[in-house]
Amino acid sequence: MKRHGILNSHISKVLSDLGHTDLIVIADAGLPIPSDVPRIDLALTLGVPSFKDVVSAVSEDMVVEQVILASEIKEKNEETLTFMNETFSESEQKFVSHEAFKQLTKQAKVVIRTGEVTPYANCILQAGVIF
C-alpha cells in the first residue's frame, strides 16, 4: 500500500503518465464529458467528494503550469475562484467561456468527476515539468 499521495490507482496512473502540456480536467457533477475521453468517476453523493478535496489532492502530486477556468466562475462562484487562486498562486491562469471550456475538455487525457454541485466548479490543469 502507498504511504503518501493519491491512493486512487486510476488517478495515480494518469498523473504518472502525464507529459509536459498534457491536460486533465477536474469536473463538477454536471459537466458533460466527451465520450472519447476517459472518465474517473469519484461522485458518490451530492457534494461528495468536493471539488476542493480533489483539486487539493491532485495539486499535491502534479506540477501544474497553467490552470484554465470558465470565465463565468468570476461572477457565479467567487469562493471556488478564491480557492483556485490560493492553490495555484504560482501557476498561470487562463479564463475562457464555459462553451470554450467544454470544447477544451476534448483534448484532456482524463476527466475526473467529483460530486460537486456548485456552479462552474471545473478546471483544466496543464502539466508542467519539475526541471
Side-chain angles (χ1 to χ4, degrees):
M1 180 171 187
K2 283 181 70 173
R3 184 180 299 266
H4 303 289
I6 292 176
L7 297 179
N8 181 290
S9 62
H10 302 289
I11 296 173
S12 187
K13 170 87 169 105
V14 167
L15 296 180
S16 295
D17 289 345
L18 288 176
H20 187 217
T21 73
D22 284 344
L23 305 175
I24 68 164
V25 177
I26 302 176
D28 62 24
L31 187 74
I33 299 172
S35 58
D36 57 338
V37 175
R39 167 195 312 231
I40 299 173
D41 195 342
L42 302 179
L44 184 59
T45 59
L46 294 178
V48 178
S50 73
F51 175 78
K52 291 178 184 179
D53 286 342
V54 176
V55 168
S56 293
V58 169
S59 70
E60 290 180 19
D61 270 2
M62 180 181 175
V63 177
V64 176
E65 179 174 273
Q66 182 181 66
V67 178
I68 302 170
L69 301 164
S71 55
E72 291 87 345
I73 197 172
K74 294 175 185 178
E75 292 181 15
K76 303 289 185 179
N77 196 339
E78 291 180 28
E79 180 182 333
T80 298
L81 178 58
T82 298
F83 165 77
M84 294 300 287
N85 289 337
E86 292 169 357
T87 303
F88 297 104
S89 61
E90 311 249 332
S91 303
E92 179 183 338
Q93 275 193 3
K94 179 178 177 181
F95 293 92
V96 297
S97 72
H98 188 57
E99 288 305 313
F101 184 95
K102 290 189 282 188
Q103 291 301 311
L104 286 171
T105 64
K106 295 176 182 178
Q107 299 173 32
K109 297 289 183 185
V110 70
V111 175
I112 302 169
R113 181 176 177 252
T114 70
E116 188 65 47
V117 290
T118 61
Y120 303 103
N122 305 291
C123 66
I124 298 173
L125 305 178
Q126 180 178 303
V129 292
I130 58 172
F131 54 87

